[in-house]
Amino acid sequence: MKKVFFALIFGMFFCNLGIANENLKQYEEECLSIIDKPKIKLTSSYGKLKYDFEKDSKSLREETELQYKKQGLEMPKELETMGLTKINDSFEFNMEVGQVGVSQGYKCLYPESIDVFMGYYLPRIYIAKDAPEGSCVYNIALRHEQTHMRIYIEALDFFLPKLKNRMERSIEEKGVRIVAPNEDAQTVASIYNEEYTKYLKDYVDHWRKQVINEQLKMDSIKQYITESRLCKELEEEAERKKENEDEFDF
């Protein structure tokens, strides 16, 4: 008998909840009919690139290994680290929550303006000091790290329009918030802001993972072998030229 009693209580609860949600839908539609679209502001920066030639290959390898470990990966032992690119990205979010009154003393909270910064700071390319300037190893390392930097820049250029589009669509996906007369609007606004922050941050984090995967392709064994072979071939070609010159040296 008790089981039936509890079932009836739960049934009434879900029924009332459904009615409450239906009523809120009415206030949400009323709110959406009178508010403006949020003002969107998206700013960005690549940062100012600097070069550093003070570290040796051993310390660069140690730093590279740490980067691999952060991703839960093990750095291939075959990789010789003559260069390293380090960069920090920043995602800053600020939303002004607007408030408007709707029927029956309810209030509606909505994103009045959304301000986001997404960009880089402190980008730095390290080239090992034990790589002789002008040597093949030096030139390959420099080109390799500049390619890493180019990937970062192109990835950001590709992502920014998508991020802006998501910001513009955010009100459709996250909706507005209805505050009952007996609720504290400030508390609801704070929770609403946190939900919006997470909504956009999750999108940024997904992009970050994609960028890391692209960068790891540049540091693959296959890429390492290709670059090492190139230097070896150039050294062999230089040796052949020298032998030919010596042969005709009278």
Side-chain angles (χ1 to χ4, degrees), residues 137-148:
V137 171
Y138 176 95
N139 292 333
I140 288 290
L142 184 61
R143 187 181 69 177
H144 182 100
E145 300 311 320
Q146 287 173 338
T147 303
H148 274 304

Side-chain angles (χ1 to χ4, degrees), residues 26-228:
Q26 169 192 332
Y27 300 131
E28 289 172 2
E29 290 175 356
E30 182 183 348
C31 177
L32 290 169
S33 70
I34 57 178
I35 64 173
D36 294 324
K37 290 182 178 180
K39 297 174 183 176
I40 304 293
K41 183 181 179 182
L42 176 61
T43 54
S44 181
S45 171
Y46 297 136
K48 187 175 181 180
L49 178 62
K50 291 185 177 181
Y51 289 84
D52 189 310
F53 302 91
E54 299 303 315
K55 297 188 176 186
D56 60 24
S57 56
K58 183 177 181 295
S59 62
L60 292 184
R61 180 178 176 82
E62 289 171 353
E63 289 194 48
T64 304
E65 283 180 320
L66 286 176
Q67 297 299 320
Y68 269 80
K69 286 179 181 178
K70 285 180 181 179
Q71 306 307 319
L73 301 170
E74 185 175 347
M75 180 177 171
K77 294 180 180 179
E78 299 90 336
L79 292 184
E80 184 180 6
T81 309
M82 302 305 292
L84 175 65
T85 299
K86 294 178 72 173
I87 195 168
N88 297 288
D89 70 63
S90 176
F91 167 68
E92 298 172 15
F93 173 85
N94 181 60
M95 181 174 76
E96 293 293 330
V97 179
Q99 178 177 300
V100 63
V102 289
S103 302
Q104 306 295 325
Y106 282 79
K107 299 183 184 69
C108 175
L109 304 181
Y110 65 97
E112 190 169 22
S113 65
I114 301 174
D115 189 350
V116 168
F117 171 83
M118 182 70 222
Y120 301 130
Y121 65 98
L122 301 177
R124 189 171 296 244
I125 287 178
Y126 295 87
I127 302 298
K129 64 182 182 181
D130 41 322
E133 185 176 357
S135 66
C136 180
V137 171
Y138 176 95
N139 292 333
I140 288 290
L142 184 61
R143 187 181 69 177
H144 182 100
E145 300 311 320
Q146 287 173 338
T147 303
H148 274 304
M149 193 64 217
R150 175 53 56 188
I151 290 172
Y152 280 121
I153 291 172
E154 291 181 356
L156 186 61
D157 287 344
F158 176 78
F159 180 64
L160 288 175
K162 293 181 177 295
L163 179 60
K164 185 175 182 182
N165 181 259
R166 193 169 185 85
M167 290 163 65
E168 291 170 345
R169 290 189 292 108
S170 62
I171 196 168
E172 300 171 13
E173 298 189 11
K174 296 303 295 177
V176 295
R177 289 293 178 274
I178 301 301
V179 184
N182 62 341
E183 285 186 290
D184 179 37
Q186 190 65 36
T187 300
V188 177
S190 178
I191 295 171
Y192 187 42
N193 199 304
E194 288 175 5
E195 290 175 354
Y196 248 90
T197 303
K198 186 178 185 306
Y199 167 74
L200 289 177
K201 185 178 180 300
D202 286 348
Y203 192 58
V204 170
D205 287 343
H206 177 70
W207 167 78
R208 283 174 173 147
K209 290 178 182 177
Q210 291 180 313
V211 176
I212 289 171
N213 288 337
E214 285 302 311
Q215 296 290 15
L216 287 174
K217 291 177 184 177
M218 276 294 296
D219 292 329
S220 66
I221 293 295
K222 182 179 179 182
Q223 183 68 24
Y224 168 74
I225 292 172
T226 299
E227 292 176 355
S228 298

Side-chain angles (χ1 to χ4, degrees), residues 235-250:
E235 288 170 359
E236 289 174 351
E237 179 64 24
E239 187 64 30
R240 281 195 296 270
K241 286 183 178 179
K242 187 176 183 306
E243 289 176 357
N244 289 336
E245 288 172 0
D246 291 342
E247 185 177 340
F248 292 99
D249 186 16
F250 297 103

